[in-house]
Amino acid sequence: MLTGSKTTFKVKQMPDLKERIMNQSALHTRGRDMFGLCCLPGECVLQRAILVRKKLSPKEGGGWLSGTLFCTHFRVAFVPQDATKPDDNADPVLLGDHDVALASIEKVVAVGPSRTKLVTANSSLKFTPEKLVLYCRDLRILCFLFDRLTPDTQAVEITHTIAKTYQPLKPGTILSFQNAALGSIEMKQFLSNRQRDPSMAWFESPADWEQELERTGATGWRVSSVNDRFEMSTSLSRFNVVPQKVLDMELKRTFAHFSEGRIPRWCWRHRCGCDLLRTASFQNNIYHEKDDIRNLELILFGGHAECVVVDLGEEMPSLVDVQLAHVRLRALCLGDISSSVSIPDDKWLSSLEGTHWLDYARCCLRKAAEVACLLKRGHLTIVLQEPEDRDWNCVVASLVQVMCDPHCRTVAGFQGLVQKEWVTAGHRFLSRINYHRDSDKEEAPIFLLFLDCVWQLWAQFPACFQLSEEYLLGLHDSLLLPLYSTFLANCQRERSRRSQHLPPSYTPVNGLKALARAPAEEPTDTPYPPVWDWTLQYSSQRRALFTQPVGQPASPPVVLNGNLNTSPEPEWHSDGSPGSVFLLSRSAFSCPASLLPWRSSGGPGSYWKSHRRAPSSESLPALERLVKACYRAEPSPGAAASRDPHETLLPLLLGPCVCVWRTCYLRGVLHAQAFTYPMSSNTRHPMDQLAWEVERLRERLAEASGGHPPSRRQQEPRRLDSNLNRNANNGTFLFSSSSSSSSSSSSSSSSSSSSSPRTSQQENPGHFSGHPCVAPRSTSRDGTKHTFLFGRPPQTQAGHRYTTTPSAKLPRSSTSTGAKHH
Amino acid sequence: MLSLGSGGAKSTKPSFVSYVTPEEIKSEKEPQKKERHPNLLPGEVVFCSTNPILKYTQDDISQRGIFGTLLCTNFRVSFISDETPQEEPTQHFKNKLYGENDIPLMCVDCLYGVYDEKKKLITGGMLKNKYPSKMIIHCKDLRVFQFCLTFTKEEEAKKIFQGIVHHCLEPKSLKCVFAFSYANTKGPEMQRTQRTLMFDSQEDWSQEMKRTKGNCRIVTENQNFELSERLPKYFIIPAAVSDDDLSKFPGKGLPIWCWSHHSGCALFKASSLPVTQEDGVAQAWMERMLHAVAQTHLYSVKIEDLLETLPNIQDIQQSYTKFKQFFLIDNSTDFWMSDVKWFSSLENTGWLDIIRQCLQKAVEVVECLEKENTNVLITEEEGSDLCCVISSLVQIMMDPHCRTLTGFQNLVQKEWVAGCHAFLDRCNHLHQKDKECQSPVFLLFLECVWQLVQQHSPAFQFSETYLTVLSDSIHVPAFGTFLFNSAFQRESCLKHSQRGPLSWPAVWDWSMQFDCKAQELFINPLYAEKLKQEKVLRKVPRIKHQRQLSLPSSAFKTPPKKGFFKDEAESLKKMLRVKRFSRWMVPPDSPAVATRQFYEAWQQKPLDYHGLLLPCLDGPAMRLWMQRYLRWTPEAQILGGGSVAITSKLAELLGEVRALQRELAQKGWWDSMGEGHHRPQTMSLALVRTSLRLSSYFPFAASRNWSFKPVIPTGLLQSLMVTDKLASQEDETNEVISLV
């Protein structure tokens, strides 16, 4: 319904509501509602209920918040009574802090004085609900309480309206939902003018890949654009990194040897000089010509003499298992009022065990930890191999990087990582999330499992991440919303066809199957935004929580050209002797003869066999010992005096150490909320407070020693004016400082006095932004707060802001004064 | 005595690697002979010592070890390494009384001997000839020690083994406890310097009553324990109880005041009356008592018989015995074994469920006090086990004072120590044969408090570490606090000693065990006290004492508006208050449902860390006290991770702020605003601010363990092995040898 709504409100299907809506649109030309709801362009309010109270989690301050409840044809919105008037010129934000998109809703439950009813589109409500409970797909549960003074008709009507308009996802409805959100002309215009966040790598251009090569210090690799038109492989990205020695001509001939043409591609290099590759399984039924074999070996070995193939096909759980585990976990965590089945408290732990979700998370982490240990050895190529190369390879490859590379623990780095290993690498987001509800067999929340794994790492090493739990939650929730181009396609080819940046490909060699569904939704020309456009999705308050002030010193330049690679690289391929290949499977190494099909087949390569054995079996136990002993290689406590940011985070995987992601899975369960996080978000965590104070003091110190206060006026973003291009500022830190000491002192006193736990939402920094003396703080809360410049020379003091190691303690100017002082 | 025995030809295992070869020991032995004794405490006597003994380090499957001397004194079993102790600067959290290789005798939980590769539990009794090749000691604070006895002479080994068995397992008399030798060494003036109320004087009780605005009378008749030996010297009962009634059933059935709610209703506890046939007398007397309880406050009374709804002490003991087995681990492989079915096996012990039940019962009592404003009388057979748990928990939930460090210590002193919890029997300090009385009730209480601390950490001034240390201190026989069954026993031991009147240090004098820096770790740096006080200054005074001052003593007064359960009908209550005695025990609903509703209603209010606190009781809410149970397990330690990482980050930031402030002050840019500035935590976190990376069990993790971390668990293969191995192992441990 309401599919074709444009800028003006057209209410065809809802005649009963027509009058009210017309009234509003007459008053507000730009689609702003008079009750304080900031509508998207083209969004129309279907129903409204006043004097509604929303139950807040303790994280939001606890208790109830009273306000007005709206149902539009895109979302269920709640506007607190005393919310500040939204600024008419601000960029549209899809979802406010209290809103939920209709597509996220899974169940609508009305609670009356004596009964509870699951409301569907067809059901009728025979009682006046006192409470409205919305169960969401992302495991949130929203609870609204109607006041006695709420007109009964409003309470009934809004329940009905929500039940009718929320779309139990099925083919077709998703489109109307997307149109409701993004379909208006204004919105389309706005989206198409929007620029991409330049601070993160998108891996959609060769430059990003080259930069990644440079950042990791990988040599001997080049970016090949042989798949530019997706002719070689439909599911691979346009640009792939392959050994320099392989020419494009030669490369083209290797695609056929791998299933779906997913050849071994470089994805990351460890500091010790190990390269991480990923590939699909070999095509066995193909004749290996002698010329090809050289190239095949080349792209597999990359420049190293040894290669370990990590087999991910067998050990990982099947997709069906993961899906089942997730279904069970949801059932366990989503305490459901409408169904009376509940698990007794004393059986909770064994039920949790029965879901196996944690086992699977553990399995992924273990595999990644093994690979991470192996990477320390150096002089290896490690090839992750999975039959399709589109699920577990993504999980393990990215987990390995999160463990080993501090850059991937920042927001920008993590986003780049997901772009690199998931989005452009062709993870089947569309099928796995199953927005369309048409491919149930392929549904499996692999990406959610990955997020859970990252959370496990985060929970064990909270001080090593710049991104916060809140960020992971934000990403988790966005995944379930069919609005983002990132997740609305199965591979890069589908994605770029939709955005029509690319002429259609002509002769796809392989993987015709992947194309089958793409044309179905071709007619829409809605430009879907990428998920990383956070300013579009969440309010600035929420985004401010995405980073935490526990970053690490800006990474020192990586080992360029592999200083650790001092030994001469064996030129094994020139004299014809092959490198050794090992298989890591089930935590054990072996070198089965059939590992590389071209070597074992009786073809021209068979004569290598005899040569191969000797070196392989020699180093076999050594490798095994390496993985077993890697934990012991931890520096002794004495030597660990200075924290090495590059140290691998190896998670503990014992039963007691792997926990449930409570703030995600249990946040909806009303009773479980008490222990989410002891601090309400309004009173800031002491950590935040101190971090902010450090920042402020530094600024003042810089002022004091610099003599002239840097002018902040021009740099301070007039966020209200500059709408579209503000993203450009996100990546770098806007160095702002208070102009005078008196102003900053008053700002601090005002912040300390306002720290009562009951401060409501609008007392957040956003509220201060009009107040001149607190301006620096509000700037810092604007998403740019904890930004670290990784992999780039620290050009501003910002790079050092949270460094706490003595070596990089203060900016230049202040260290000199510090020396004087001592 | 210290000559090296090449002995143990029996089963020398070739598998271990030692840092010191036996030859080296031989050469070093003579000059070092003097140093092998630990720094003995005053009154400590060495019973026997043997060298060399190999102590296995627990870290690895490949059993390494350290040679050294094993001693047994009247205080502890101690192991002193032969290696020259390198002074480790990292040892902040050192206990002054016993080191990391010392086991106070009371702390020994079980002894196992390994005879021909078989592990057997050793019970008391005389051991004639046989001694094991390896001795495994499980401690009550969950440490595990393994000593190899095969390197020393046979008779030496036998001697030390029998000595340890004798002193750790044989029943002994109270007088032999080390505290009796240790007592009197500190002057009695020490007690006055500390702020914890001991509740052994009338003043302490009246002070406490004044604080809570209680309206009862203090009984002084038991000053010399004439009324009952199971009652404290002084206690408080409803004012209406007559002196005649006081002595009717000496010590039994008296409603003893615990705590008063600001609305006027109060919590009482009582032991149950002896069951007699002459029902009339007891019945009438009981009715009078209830009348007294009610009349004081003009509210109705609700009786909670804890025996009916909560598990009894034997259940608790059984459950805990099963539970702790998961953490008493001889080597790493054992740990991996328990891993696969971790959650369900944890659940099967029932320990977490017992914690939940206790908390739930406490919430029910809180509900009566807070919502219905009824008096509550909790009863139990002895009135000093679960009554103590519930009444203390209720006070912690309702009274913010009990969430401060001093307040908590007062509470323990009041409810447990002065309240005559039978520590001696419950902890089985004397290794009595019949273990029926043994039950970790106090530990259960600490567990419940830990759950609360975990859920509402900013509300508590003390930290998790404090609770862990307190739970360890139960088994340190140097203090008088947790040593006796009752105040009477303590008094009589004090007086009737050959050495004249004795005095013991209290556990609360933490400087006996830890230095100032270590004691700082007892404080929760995120305690929300400061924020609150600011608010209080500006707004209506809401701190407990002040609020009550405004209340007239009449209990008829409507409770102040603060409670969200503003009562519904005052008159109804008046009507009920006399009539309801005979049917107090009318459960309105199933208790769990009522509790849940109460909890939900509470949750609808903004969280006030200085008001009522309720725990969440859901399945996922009950957690494992990782710090206490897993701190010695190197496999479970996250190096550079865990919540300590956050705390240390906090400390770093705080230090940085201070340094910057100082620097600014130097330049004159820092004006006076520094003084009035709000600071989230006042304590110095210097201890955490080491440049070292801390393990997640920070104050406890011994640094030597750090270099050994677990291998990655290998595959499903292991998980398949586990089940049968676990089963067979159980069989082994069940084999008990008694060589009487």
Side-chain angles (χ1 to χ4, degrees), chain A residues 350 353 628 655 662 678 698, chain B residues 339 344 347 609 620 656 693 711:
Chain A
S350 50
E353 193 178 85
K628 290 259 156 53
R662 285 161 197 269
R698 284 230 174 102
Chain B
D339 180 46
S344 48
E347 190 180 271
Y609 288 129
E656 208 169 347
R693 287 181 321 160
V711 274

Side-chain angles (χ1 to χ4, degrees), chain A residues 455-513:
Chain A
W455 179 83
Q456 300 285 355
L457 283 169
W458 180 88
Q460 293 194 12
F461 303 95
C464 298
F465 280 78
Q466 189 230 4
L467 57 88
S468 69
E469 185 177 27
E470 195 69 24
Y471 174 83
L472 292 176
L473 269 179
L475 189 54
H476 177 273
D477 295 349
S478 306
L479 182 75
L480 299 168
L481 217 55
L483 285 181
Y484 306 109
S485 62
T486 315
F487 304 133
L488 276 171
N490 278 331
C491 62
Q492 201 58 10
R493 180 167 173 275
E494 278 179 30
R495 217 168 269 125
S496 44
R497 273 170 66 119
R498 183 171 307 118
S499 59
Q500 292 176 341
H501 287 315
L502 199 80
S505 62
Y506 304 106
T507 48
V509 183
N510 225 331
L512 272 167
K513 274 174 287 175

